[in-house]
Amino acid sequence: MSREDDRATRYQEGSLSLPGTVMLGTGVMIGAGIFALTGQMAQMTGTLFPLAFLAAAVIVSFSAYSYIRISNAWPSAGGIGMYLHKAYGNRLPTAFNALLMYFSMVIAQSFLARTFGSYTMQLFGGDESGRMVPVLGVALILAAFVVNLLSNSLIQGVASVIGILKIGGILIFGLVGVWLADNIAVDFSNPGEAGTIGNFLGATALGILAFKGFTTITNSGSEIKAPHRNVGRAIVISIAACVVIYTLVGFAVASNLSLSEIIETQDYSLAAAARPALGDYGLWFTVAIAMMATAGGILASIFAVSRMLAMLSEMKLVPHRHFGMPGSIQKHTLVYTVVLGLLLTAFFDLSRIAALGIVFYLIMDIAIHWGVLRYLRKDISANAWVPAIAIVLDLLALGGFVWVKLNTDPFVIGVAVVAMMIIAIGEQIFLKKSALNRRATDDEPHAQHHQNEDPYRRKHP
């Protein structure tokens, strides 16, 4: 086997079942959505936060249509990177938006990792020093990295076991929390100053971050059994399951904690909500679920995002360096993904990580729907009105979120804008150099051909 062949990425077609794929998708969605976003959404929109989860589900349902139609036509391990390429070709929009998706997924890993640390430390009375949360998050990412170096069947098996345990546990938490609450009614009529339209849209945008994990399913497309049928099914099942779970848990939290308590404990609000309902046993139970959920989410996210970056590398849309590492490109992108996740986990807090992730994701999501409307609608037999509505809803959510952050934390919006400018400029330079290199490579055989022919023609007129 040549060295170049050894570098090639090898995907295990048919290695992921429909249930296993659903567990990978819900692993990312549930881990990020319930355990850390609830408090942040409550801080933005007050008692309306359960409704913001439902509004996010509506937006994601429209968004999922484009992904399902494209994946049914072209299932690929490159997932969103390949979808963008189908719409925009080897151009800047493909590379730019694919990298936005890549970074939003890496951000989601860091978000999950710090959530894991925040909940775990509740077993020890919290983390007053602020050091143990990132340490535990880094340790979790490294453990998920080791598992991802192994086979797909092991990854699917671990994700499935964790998924079943955490979904069952969260349902128990929600049902018991609602059952034991003195009053499950939530007063939506008086949300206070936080209940403005802009704040509600901003909270809805955060809620979308809780559902965006369904996109990890698309990044495993060619490895799923019967992908033309099962990718779409897995997306629908994952979103539907999360709608039920988020609604139930949102009402359980709102019934057991006051708004001020939810905001105060925003990094671990489910654990705080379990204590008044179930005492210390409820706290321990909830922390155990959170640890499993965030661990499963990171495992699934690393699995999917490393494959998308590998596909972009093979398509020559992003630069790639081996740095002396052995193995395939996919193994290298796995390392890059983990290293970047470790840095974000160590140095960024939860709210800013979430803010960067949602801005990147919504811009990429709009690009997907525009690509369907402008270039792919006939090829995939899509109805134009669905992606058009998805674009309008994404713009509303993004506008509300940016407005809230400009008033509360403008620095993070500045970071997002600068990061996007760097990505766009860097990709433009890289793509231009790549085009010049391809032309030079194409010209060499042509020139060599004439050099070899001229002497022959002189000798044999």
Side-chain angles (χ1 to χ4, degrees), residues 432-453:
K432 283 186 176 181
K433 286 185 177 179
S434 296
L436 290 173
N437 290 337
R438 280 196 298 270
R439 282 197 291 269
T441 302
D442 291 340
D443 289 343
E444 280 183 14
H446 185 68
Q448 186 65 37
H449 174 72
H450 285 293
Q451 290 175 5
N452 292 338
E453 275 198 339

Side-chain angles (χ1 to χ4, degrees), residues 102-103 105-114 116 131 133-146 298 302 305 333-349 353:
Y102 170 78
F103 286 118
M105 293 174 75
V106 176
I107 287 167
Q109 293 167 23
S110 305
F111 188 71
L112 287 165
R114 291 192 72 106
F116 173 86
R131 297 172 187 163
V133 167
V135 168
L136 290 170
V138 165
L140 179 60
I141 291 178
L142 291 175
F145 170 66
V146 172
I298 287 178
I302 290 176
V305 72
T333 57
L334 178 63
V335 173
Y336 304 155
T337 299
V338 167
V339 170
L340 183 55
L342 292 174
L343 292 174
L344 288 172
T345 301
F347 298 110
F348 278 75
D349 64 32
I353 289 175

